[in-house]
């Protein structure tokens, strides 16, 4: 059996959490990540029949039955993941229609997965239904996107159009736009259901006055989605209060979509 700390999925997870902290998106225990793994990959590093303990999830997600996830722990600080991955991360397999998580590795201090596990798992199920390559769900608290939710209209089309107009690359990176949830109590099944519903039509979901969720096929892509949206939000926060002389027009956005072969969310451009 190989050392799990050398597994590419582990080193990438550690690098990503460290990088998210470095970007100031994850103060204290803020943020959480879940990464879907193949059983064959896990089996190179762990005896998949050796369950350390079982943890009830409090919800059902039948589509994820038998699936493996590497996930950040609740109350754990992203800045510490690189120094003690076995405490701050856990590798679980869902069973019992998703109602139980079997811990196979990690959470060695007796901890458990993130309090946002419902939103993560329900979002995985929603994204897998539209894209079988989806593997990652990521949540964090980037300051500019968060700031925008206090002063920008929360209408999804309006929010998306503003972000697309802030950098030329935005439309190319997230042509599906951003969906937006009003403030809701976090860490609940209710916000999980609502987030998953929004994930069916976009890979970025804003939680007003809280943060953002993204989903993607790997950690880099999912990180990059947030990175790009947060850059756009930063520019908007720099200029929104100034007299605007010009912006990207809908004609220019159409031109970008054609050139880069992406389909902007229907009805979002004139
Ligand atoms: P956890 O520490 O439970 O992952 O919660 C952090 C967070 O960002 C809640 O939304
Ligand atoms: Zn949060």
């Amino acid at each position: 059996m190989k050392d799990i700390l050398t597994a590419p999925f582990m080193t990438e997870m550690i690098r990503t959490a460290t990088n998210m902290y470095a970007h100031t998106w994850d103060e204290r225990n803020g943020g959480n990540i879940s990464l879907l793994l193949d059983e064959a990959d896990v089996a190179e590093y762990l005896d998949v029949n050796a369950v350390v303990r079982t943890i009830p999830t409090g919800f059902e997600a039948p589509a994820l039955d038998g699936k493996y996830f590497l996930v950040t722990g609740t109350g754990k600080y992203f800045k510490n993941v690189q120094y003690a991955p076995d405490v701050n991360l856990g590798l679980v397999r869902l069973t019992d229609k998703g109602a139980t998580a079997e811990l196979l590795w990690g959470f060695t201090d007796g901890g458990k997965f993130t309090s946002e596990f419902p939103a993560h798992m329900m979002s995985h199920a929603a994204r897998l239904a539209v894209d079988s390559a989806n593997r990652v769900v990521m949540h964090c608290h980037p300051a500019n996107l968060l700031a925008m939710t206090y002063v920008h209209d929360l209408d999804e089309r309006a929010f998306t159009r503003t972000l697309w107009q802030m950098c030329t690359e935005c439309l190319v990176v997230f042509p599906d736009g951003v969906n937006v949830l009003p403030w809701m109590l976090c860490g609940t099944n209710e916000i999980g259901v609502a987030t998953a519903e929004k994930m069916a039509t976009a890979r970025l979901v804003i939680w007003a006055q809280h943060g953002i969720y993204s989903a993607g096929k790997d950690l880099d892509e999912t990180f990059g989605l947030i990175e790009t949206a947060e850059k756009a939000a930063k520019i908007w926060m720099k200029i929104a209060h100034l007299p605007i002389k010009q912006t990207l027009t809908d004609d220019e956005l159409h031109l970008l979509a054609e050139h880069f072969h992406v389909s902007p969310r229907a009805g979002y451009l004139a």
Side-chain angles (χ1 to χ4, degrees):
M1 212 63 84
K2 296 193 263 182
D3 178 0
I4 196 168
L5 293 178
T6 66
F9 59 75
M10 185 67 69
T11 53
E12 277 170 38
M13 183 77 153
I14 294 168
R15 268 193 224 125
T16 302
T18 304
N19 200 14
M20 289 174 75
Y21 177 72
H23 277 66
T24 73
W25 300 345
D26 298 279
E27 74 291 343
R28 200 174 182 276
N29 65 308
N32 19 78
I33 314 172
S34 58
L35 170 64
L36 173 63
L37 303 171
D38 286 333
E39 184 175 74
D41 289 337
V42 176
E44 287 185 38
Y45 304 93
L46 293 176
D47 174 359
V48 295
N49 297 312
V51 175
V52 180
R53 57 191 157 96
T54 59
I55 311 170
T57 65
F59 59 86
E60 287 194 349
L64 303 181
D65 206 56
K67 294 207 183 295
Y68 294 76
F69 293 93
L70 184 62
V71 59
T72 53
T74 185
K76 301 304 190 212
Y77 294 23
F78 273 27
K79 75 184 176 71
N80 295 337
V81 169
Q82 61 177 321
Y83 304 113
D86 63 313
V87 176
N88 295 290
L89 302 174
L91 200 158
V92 298
R93 174 177 54 215
L94 290 185
T95 180
D96 198 13
K97 292 189 190 143
T100 304
E102 297 176 315
L103 180 67
L104 300 175
W105 174 89
F107 300 147
T108 52
D109 64 348
K112 63 182 247 183
F113 41 73
T114 173
S115 60
E116 306 294 4
F117 205 53
H120 278 254
M121 293 301 110
M122 293 177 196
S123 293
H124 274 286
R127 286 310 304 170
L128 286 169
V130 292
D131 176 9
S132 61
N134 196 87
R135 291 202 161 260
V136 179
V137 173
M138 186 179 280
H139 164 64
C140 58
H141 306 157
N144 293 287
L145 280 164
L146 231 155
M148 248 181 105
T149 69
Y150 288 83
V151 290
H152 195 284
D153 193 334
L154 293 183
D155 174 74
E156 289 168 344
R157 182 176 181 274
F159 209 101
T160 296
R161 286 177 53 83
T162 295
L163 294 179
W164 282 351
Q165 287 164 352
M166 291 305 108
C167 315
T168 291
E169 304 270 296
C170 279
L171 176 104
V172 180
V173 174
F174 52 93
D176 41 347
V178 296
N179 284 342
V180 184
L181 280 181
W183 187 89
M184 289 177 72
L185 187 62
C186 56
T188 63
N189 287 352
E190 287 71 26
I191 202 168
V193 171
T195 305
E197 264 174 34
K198 294 289 185 190
M199 279 284 179
T201 51
R203 294 164 301 152
L204 286 167
V205 179
I206 306 239
W207 281 8
Q209 293 85 51
H210 184 138
I212 189 162
Y213 268 76
S214 73
K217 67 180 183 337
D218 58 36
L219 287 160
D220 265 357
E221 182 193 65
T222 316
F223 181 99
L225 277 170
I226 296 177
E227 190 178 28
T228 308
E230 170 62 2
K231 168 65 83 66
K234 184 174 183 178
I235 294 163
W236 191 75
M237 292 303 297
K238 277 183 189 290
I239 64 158
H241 57 289
L242 300 173
I244 307 291
K245 304 276 192 199
Q246 54 274 319
T247 186
L248 278 170
T249 65
D250 281 27
D251 281 348
E252 289 164 343
L253 291 168
H254 275 299
L255 207 56
L256 274 168
E258 273 165 42
H259 186 75
F260 289 98
H261 308 293
V262 297
S263 306
R265 180 85 165 259
Y268 275 28
L269 291 182

